[in-house]
Amino acid sequence: MEQLGQPTETVTRDTPVVEGESVIREYTRGGGGFFSRTAAPTVRALNGVSATIHPGEVVGIAGPSGSGKSTLLHLLAGLDVPTSGTITLAGQNITSLSARERAALRLEHVGIIFQRFHLLDALSARANVALPLVELGYGKRTRRERAAELLTAVGLDERQTHKPGQLSGGEQQRVAIARALTTNPSLVIADEPTGELDTSTGERVLDLLVDIADEQAVVLASHDQQALDVCDRIIRLRDGEIDRSQ
Ligand code: ADP
């Protein structure tokens, strides 16, 4: 089997997987057009947040709705860039990269799990899991073996050829976990991973995620206490800032 990149390739236990320093992210909302007398309103979603994530850590991002959790998560994943401050992902300052370079960095180093699974309905579980390896140019045999290995690890050995529509919500999220891990990324990002699942299914999915993401750092945003309970530590946000009051 072709050798897949190891998470330790570019980072060691002491090197952060991702680091945000004095991060500010502002969004400009509509209005403020050519004929408008007023400037477009600006929302500051994050106001000077710093966070360092190390390999092997499971870090929760908590806070009320609108506190900036998704914004921080997207920045740490390299999906977005800060208005000011820096995000260093796998040793690279993402602000200095083009969108294309960021996409390549994400493909290699980041696995993302969404609340609504985001699987491709027309593809089997195995093809969904193998998809990131297609983009990385791995051969068919390696892709199949790797996808089968991961589906077995998430307990879906018997569901390899099922399509997402033939799977339960919990099973779909397990496929999404397998897909997030398929490239052996150094960082796994999960945005409300249990938001669509009932309590006991959510608990099993979280245990599995923490269990199989071993060397990887996992950062998960949630307002679900059950999800936060599996984390080694929690970054609490309030109004775009780190809340140190708790
Ligand atoms: P959370 O994930 O904690 O609910 P978000 O990061 O989604 O918080 O949002 C933080 C703040 O930024 C909120 O006030 C939200 O309305 C605003 N915001 C988020 N995304 C956008 C956007 N694309 N355009 C304008 N405002 C946004």
Side-chain angles (χ1 to χ4, degrees):
M1 185 164 164
E2 290 164 65
Q3 200 57 42
L4 283 157
Q6 295 299 311
T8 46
E9 209 168 70
T10 50
V11 286
T12 69
R13 283 249 158 212
D14 305 328
T15 320
V17 175
V18 63
E19 190 163 27
E21 269 186 275
S22 311
V23 171
I24 291 176
R25 177 64 169 102
E26 290 177 341
Y27 296 107
T28 307
R29 280 202 177 129
F34 187 72
F35 296 107
S36 169
R37 286 164 191 272
T38 54
T42 297
V43 179
R44 188 169 278 205
L46 287 179
N47 186 24
V49 169
S50 296
T52 306
I53 314 290
H54 289 279
E57 282 195 296
V58 181
V59 180
I61 301 181
S65 183
S67 59
K69 299 185 297 296
S70 295
T71 302
L72 180 58
L73 211 59
H74 290 175
L75 289 164
L76 294 175
L79 286 164
D80 188 18
V81 287
T83 308
S84 75
T86 56
I87 299 280
T88 309
L89 174 59
Q92 297 213 48
N93 178 358
I94 63 161
T95 342
S96 62
L97 303 178
S98 67
R100 208 189 175 122
E101 287 168 332
R102 269 193 292 123
L105 191 71
R106 276 200 309 275
L107 184 58
E108 197 175 341
H109 294 282
V110 186
I112 306 181
I113 299 162
F114 298 95
Q115 178 172 349
R116 290 175 198 273
F117 327 130
H118 284 244
L119 300 173
L120 295 182
D121 290 336
L123 299 183
S124 67
R126 187 171 64 199
N128 266 286
V129 174
L131 207 54
L133 298 179
V134 175
E135 293 176 63
L136 282 173
Y138 284 95
K140 193 167 183 176
R141 181 147 172 225
T142 303
R143 297 196 312 255
R144 282 200 160 197
E145 282 176 6
R146 176 73 179 154
E149 183 189 307
L150 276 160
L151 283 169
T152 303
V154 298
L156 293 178
D157 194 18
E158 319 256 282
R159 300 274 193 279
Q160 311 238 0
T161 55
H162 287 53
K163 298 204 168 139
Q166 300 168 307
L167 300 172
S168 69
E171 287 172 335
Q172 288 185 58
Q173 197 57 308
R174 284 194 270 160
V175 174
I177 291 174
R179 181 188 52 189
L181 291 168
T182 192
T183 60
N184 213 357
S186 42
L187 177 63
V188 176
I189 294 279
D191 197 357
E192 298 282 359
T194 54
E196 297 281 309
L197 308 176
D198 64 66
T199 312
S200 65
T201 309
E203 198 174 300
R204 285 205 299 278
V205 162
L206 286 165
D207 285 346
L208 178 75
L209 172 63
V210 171
D211 210 29
I212 73 167
D214 188 16
E215 287 290 302
Q216 284 93 352
V218 178
V219 183
L220 69 90
S222 188
H223 14 26
D224 176 7
Q225 190 53 46
Q226 186 192 24
L228 298 173
D229 283 346
V230 304
C231 298
D232 300 322
R233 67 182 169 99
I234 309 234
I235 297 171
R236 286 185 195 280
L237 294 178
R238 177 167 293 274
D239 298 330
E241 296 185 3
I242 292 186
D243 178 4
R244 299 186 197 279
S245 66
Q246 299 179 54

